[in-house]
Amino acid sequence: TAGEEETAMSGCSEQSAATTTAIAVSPSSTVPAPPPQQPCRFETLYLGYIRVEKEKGTDVIHAAIEKLENSNQTNWESVTMEIHVSTINLIKTADRTLLAEHRVRFVSFMALGKQEHHLGYIVHGGPRIFYCHVYQSDSSCADMARAIQNACNARYQLLLAKQEEMKRNQKPESTGVSTTQYNTSILTLLGQL
């Protein structure tokens, strides 16, 4: 439905296409997100993850949320989500140990749940392997989604800057002929005229 599409967030993989959603994670060339100096932190409940068949889709995320919400709640973990330009870190609230680290570059899709207190995102786990990670908050997860969106945009801007730098630093293609050999060939050719 249109309301569900409004809450969908397209992923931040380097090859993401533009999306018609209200809060898009797809890279934007008109409003670059600067890299945050400090990570964004959110206290949330991590419901876990499940393997999914597709790398994107609001319906995929909603199904994963429903499945994990109806699962064994003893596996749910209270965490602090730290969102950096390159990673999303999950730190256990109880003992402050790192539970998981997700690379922002591998996030392919994100969406709020049917109820905004749920958030899910899909991460590439390998060739044709995708996992949906699900979170629940007492209030709306929209701010958490925006922070991940900003990290994705910043990551994309860094990628573009790196590609530009690589283009500037590239040497002209070598023909395999040294300058001396080239000059000798030209002189020989001129001598024949």
Side-chain angles (χ1 to χ4, degrees), residues 93-156:
T93 303
D95 60 8
R96 306 299 304 158
T97 59
L98 184 66
L99 176 65
E101 178 181 86
H102 304 136
R103 300 288 307 259
V104 169
R105 69 184 284 191
F106 296 127
V107 175
S108 62
F109 194 83
M110 172 180 36
L112 292 173
K114 292 177 183 175
Q115 300 169 356
E116 284 192 4
H117 66 272
H118 285 114
L119 171 72
Y121 57 79
I122 299 172
V123 176
H124 287 253
R128 304 289 311 146
I129 299 172
F130 311 106
Y131 297 100
C132 183
H133 296 268
V134 176
Y135 305 88
Q136 179 177 300
S137 180
D138 292 336
S139 58
S140 173
C141 288
D143 288 340
M144 200 181 321
R146 281 188 203 91
I148 295 171
Q149 173 188 3
N150 288 340
C152 291
N153 285 336
R155 170 87 174 96
Y156 184 71

Side-chain angles (χ1 to χ4, degrees), residues 3 6 20 22-23 47 51 75 87 154 193:
E6 292 279 306
T20 59
I23 305 174
L47 306 189
R51 188 167 177 178
N75 295 333
T87 61
L193 296 176

Side-chain angles (χ1 to χ4, degrees), residues 171-192:
K171 295 179 182 174
E173 284 189 33
S174 173
T175 60
V177 177
S178 72
T179 306
T180 306
Q181 290 173 327
Y182 180 75
N183 288 341
T184 303
S185 298
I186 294 295
L187 290 174
T188 304
L189 204 99
L190 289 174
Q192 293 175 356

Side-chain angles (χ1 to χ4, degrees), residues 14 44 66 95 117 144 163 167 187:
E14 283 95 28
T44 187
E66 187 175 322
D95 60 8
H117 66 272
M144 200 181 321
Q163 285 178 341
K167 284 181 186 175
L187 290 174

Side-chain angles (χ1 to χ4, degrees), residues 49-54 60 64 67 127-132:
Y49 67 94
I50 62 170
R51 188 167 177 178
V52 293
E53 295 300 316
K54 296 192 286 184
V60 174
K67 187 169 187 173
R128 304 289 311 146
I129 299 172
F130 311 106
Y131 297 100
C132 183

